[in-house]
Amino acid sequence: MQFSDLDLSKTYSYADYLQWTFEDRLELIKGKIFKMTPAPNLYHQDISIIISSEIYSYLKGKSCKVYTAPFDVRFPQKADGQSNKKIYTVLQPDICVICDLSKLDKRGCIGAPDIVVEILSPGNNQKELRNKYEVYEEHGVKEYWIVSPQDETFLKYTLVEGHYIPSKIMTIGDIVTSDILPGFELSLEIVFAGI
């Protein structure tokens, strides 16, 4: 089966997703297929490594874990449980932090990570800023970080009473903190140093 054989108007589940062996990386958002952009560019990779390394260093000796893409995060419908046939959203965040380790299994994470970091690539901004925002808010991701290498900016959404509240737009010279990671500090000067 080729990617072109799929009916893009159909609704697919995680059970379908597990059957595919395409070279293309895909994500499911509410049952609809989204082709991921080609392999991330150099700056995207540099930023991902810096942020994940900083979080990893902070988490040593703590109960939370950090994972980087490709890493499946499945968002089951609350009433439907965890059956693969009832999961219609599977995303691969660039970075995620999970503090409830019972959400982890051999395939990745089932349920909302505590923090999701998405690094924008040219051409994926609409998917990140609209579709994924809705999924992360709806399923209770506590912090959603958006990093834009092109603009050298950082925006953090914090979940408050079921809705995201945005931070100010941050850039070089600013320090990112997190309520989920008390005492953690991320210098955006370090994050954007190689751009």
Side-chain angles (χ1 to χ4, degrees):
M1 179 184 245
Q2 301 288 325
F3 176 78
S4 58
D5 295 331
L6 293 175
D7 178 354
L8 299 183
S9 66
K10 185 179 171 188
T11 299
Y12 292 96
S13 72
Y14 185 59
D16 298 314
Y17 176 94
L18 289 174
Q19 302 302 312
W20 299 329
T21 57
F22 311 124
E23 286 185 25
D24 300 297
R25 286 180 51 214
L26 306 173
E27 292 180 305
L28 282 179
I29 300 178
K30 299 181 180 179
K32 299 303 175 195
I33 298 169
F34 286 82
K35 216 173 188 183
M36 296 181 73
T37 55
N41 67 31
L42 180 70
Y43 299 131
H44 182 289
Q45 292 293 78
D46 287 343
I47 289 170
S48 179
I49 288 169
I50 290 166
I51 294 173
S52 57
S53 295
E54 293 289 317
I55 294 172
Y56 179 81
S57 293
Y58 168 85
L59 290 177
K60 283 186 182 172
K62 296 178 176 63
S63 62
C64 301
K65 292 192 169 199
V66 62
Y67 294 92
T68 59
F71 179 79
D72 284 349
V73 177
R74 289 122 49 215
F75 293 93
Q77 298 301 313
K78 290 177 178 58
D80 291 335
Q82 299 181 0
S83 164
N84 291 339
K85 292 180 181 178
K86 300 290 185 178
I87 296 173
Y88 299 100
T89 300
V90 183
L91 300 176
Q92 291 188 1
D94 290 309
I95 303 167
C96 58
V97 175
I98 299 151
C99 296
D100 179 354
L101 302 185
S102 71
K103 293 180 179 180
L104 297 173
D105 64 18
K106 65 182 179 180
R107 291 199 169 115
C109 177
I110 187 155
D114 294 87
I115 299 172
V116 163
V117 182
E118 296 285 6
I119 302 164
L120 300 180
S121 298
N124 76 346
N125 294 4
Q126 180 178 349
K127 181 175 74 167
E128 305 297 344
L129 297 175
R130 180 174 298 135
N131 300 330
K132 288 187 176 184
Y133 173 100
E134 290 173 3
V135 168
Y136 294 148
E137 184 179 57
E138 177 184 326
H139 288 274
V141 173
K142 294 174 187 170
E143 289 184 3
Y144 176 26
W145 301 0
I146 299 174
V147 182
S148 174
Q150 297 84 358
D151 302 326
E152 297 182 358
T153 60
F154 179 102
L155 181 64
K156 176 177 70 173
Y157 288 99
T158 303
L159 197 65
V160 177
E161 296 179 12
H163 298 286
Y164 278 139
I165 305 295
S167 67
K168 68 174 183 137
I169 293 180
M170 294 178 261
T171 191
I172 293 171
D174 290 323
I175 303 291
V176 175
T177 60
S178 168
D179 291 338
I180 308 301
L181 310 173
F184 174 76
E185 293 187 347
L186 177 65
S187 165
L188 293 182
E189 189 160 345
I190 293 170
V191 171
F192 296 121
I195 295 180

